[in-house]
Amino acid sequence: MGIVSRIPKITAEEAAGMISHQDQIGFSGFTPAGAAKAIPLAIAAKAVREHKEGREFRIRVLTGASTGPSLDGALAKAEAVSFRAPYQSDPHMRKSINEGKTEFFDMHLSLVPQNARYGFLGKFNWAIVEASDVTEDGEIVLSSSVGASPSYCRMADKILVELNRFHPPQLRGFHDIYEPLDPPHRREIPIYAPSDRIGSHVIKVDPRKIAGVVETHLPDETSSFDEPNAITAKIGEHVANFLAAEIKSGRIPSGFLPVQSGVGNIANAVMGAMAEIPDIPAFQMYSEVIQDSAVALLQSGKISFASGCSLTVAPSVLKQVYENLEFYRTRIVLRPQEITNNPEVIRRLGIISVNTAIEVDIAGNVNSTHILGKSMMNGIGGSGDFARNSFLSIFTCPSTAKDNKISAIVPMVSHLDHSEHSVQVIVTENGVADLRGKSPKEHARLIINNCAHPDYREALHHYLEMSLKSHQPQVLSAAFLMHEQFAKTGSMQYVRWSNG
């Protein structure tokens, strides 16, 4: 184990010195877990110096998904990013994108590695990845995530490694690195249960491609999740009770099915609520992100195995995992995102997917990316990969935002990410709308009656009455009046429809 002299040890500043204007870089990281830190900070500092000298210096940044402040945040503040894909959640990067300073390409996360290999994303000058160990013959043991790192390392001309001593080298064995062959040679992906392991523990590269190793000791820049509040707790309760009823009805097998859960406080609340329902048996996860609640349920035995792309947990939880590696070694596996999010595997395993919406319209279409149709929030992430291919597709959201001034239930979404054909169940704190086997008008009544906030139901019913003569209950001249009123007055309440 460990590096030797023929792979040069360098500083982060020396690594940044190798990066040129408009280089395209594939960074490790899927959430802040496993994201490169020291080298992007040094690149940001270099950008500031270059700009002060009147020279252009901006790079093209691709990652697995979102990252931490040392990568997205630092580079955005330094105005060092000309292009960003496929997903982000940093406020500074979001601001740069929405102000038009950084071009952003939103992508289904399952497509990122293969599109890189296909050449659709252009030439990769560099891969910059965080590792818990590196060997003299080019074996890279990743840290707390996998993301798109295997394909970036394959495609890049050169590789820079952050050897982060915060993550123990004993993580070897937690990763399952597998890249499918590209068409026309691709075969089935032989995963038949979440616990199946089909690849290597390491990324294997030609050691001559590694331009340098930067040693660090930096924790992941993850934060603790909020405790469930009244709204998120109620959403979690509704989801858990709905799933328990589906088992009782026989629509879900009595032994249950693997679960995918999105990222954030609602997802944690849903998982916590599922643990409290005795009618839901112990289950497995096949998801992108393993969060705090999943680790707690692994400890209790409610989750028997968790397959993910990253271990995105609070610092105290990660410490607990690292202190009990042998317990978790047989219960957790980390995979590349094109495997965790692969449509073939999702459909084969019968995944129950639970993801978060920004807004939902009365037809059942979901917007999960844009505020008022134009301002990017984070990106589509993996929600589409799972929603389009899952056994059961559930979307959750609070029914209102901004102190009740915005209704999450609207006549027509201002941006469409998931059409009604991929959305089966909507859940807010007010209730559940099961859209399976229902007509568009039935969709509308269920969503308004069960999910909309009481303050908005009358207006939404009025809108529906205006359009009942058509198959799809929409009135184009009025579809965005709630959004327009918010833009003018700061509230969607008290909208007045006309039959024009």
Side-chain angles (χ1 to χ4, degrees), residues 61-82:
V61 173
L62 289 97
T63 59
S66 58
T67 67
S70 292
L71 203 163
D72 271 332
L75 291 173
K77 285 191 286 186
E79 298 187 353
V81 182
S82 60

Side-chain angles (χ1 to χ4, degrees), residues 210-230:
I210 301 177
V213 171
V214 176
E215 293 201 43
T216 70
H217 195 286
L218 299 169
D220 284 338
E221 296 171 319
T222 53
S223 56
S224 300
F225 292 99
D226 296 336
E227 289 295 319
N229 58 32

Side-chain angles (χ1 to χ4, degrees), residues 359-363 365 372-373 407-415 459-460 462-464 466-467 470 472-486 492 495-500:
E359 64 179 0
V360 180
D361 68 25
I362 61 174
N365 301 301
L372 298 176
S407 174
I409 310 300
V410 294
M412 185 179 287
V413 288
S414 56
H415 177 91
L460 290 166
H462 186 189
Y463 178 89
L464 179 59
M466 292 165 55
S467 59
S470 61
Q472 188 68 255
Q474 294 294 357
V475 180
L476 294 181
S477 61
F480 295 113
L481 281 181
M482 290 174 71
H483 299 89
E484 290 177 1
Q485 177 167 296
F486 178 81
M492 287 185 176
V495 69
R496 296 290 180 262
W497 313 102
S498 71
N499 293 315

Side-chain angles (χ1 to χ4, degrees), residues 41-55:
L41 279 171
I43 294 172
K46 176 180 178 177
V48 171
R49 293 193 301 272
E50 292 291 298
H51 296 164
K52 283 182 178 178
E53 295 294 327
R55 292 186 291 269

Side-chain angles (χ1 to χ4, degrees), residues 92-123:
H92 301 287
M93 184 62 74
R94 184 183 302 123
K95 182 173 184 286
S96 183
I97 291 165
N98 287 322
E99 289 179 352
K101 295 177 180 177
T102 296
E103 299 297 331
F104 181 67
F105 182 37
D106 196 12
M107 298 175 63
H108 296 299
L109 295 185
S110 66
L111 295 176
V112 176
Q114 71 172 33
N115 283 358
R117 295 194 308 271
Y118 294 172
F120 295 173
L121 303 177
K123 176 184 173 64

Side-chain angles (χ1 to χ4, degrees), residues 234-235 238 399 427-432 449-454 457:
K234 199 66 180 175
I235 291 171
H238 285 317
S399 64
V427 182
T428 71
E429 76 278 13
N430 300 308
V432 177
N449 291 334
N450 294 6
C451 296
H453 192 280
R457 285 180 191 158

Side-chain angles (χ1 to χ4, degrees), residues 345-375:
V345 179
I346 292 167
R347 189 165 291 196
R348 178 187 297 135
L349 297 182
I351 303 298
I352 296 170
S353 73
V354 186
N355 289 290
T356 304
I358 289 175
E359 64 179 0
V360 180
D361 68 25
I362 61 174
N365 301 301
V366 167
N367 167 19
S368 61
T369 59
H370 286 75
I371 305 299
L372 298 176
K374 61 181 183 179
S375 296

Side-chain angles (χ1 to χ4, degrees), residues 27-42:
F27 286 95
S28 66
F30 195 98
T31 73
K37 305 169 186 66
I39 298 175
L41 279 171

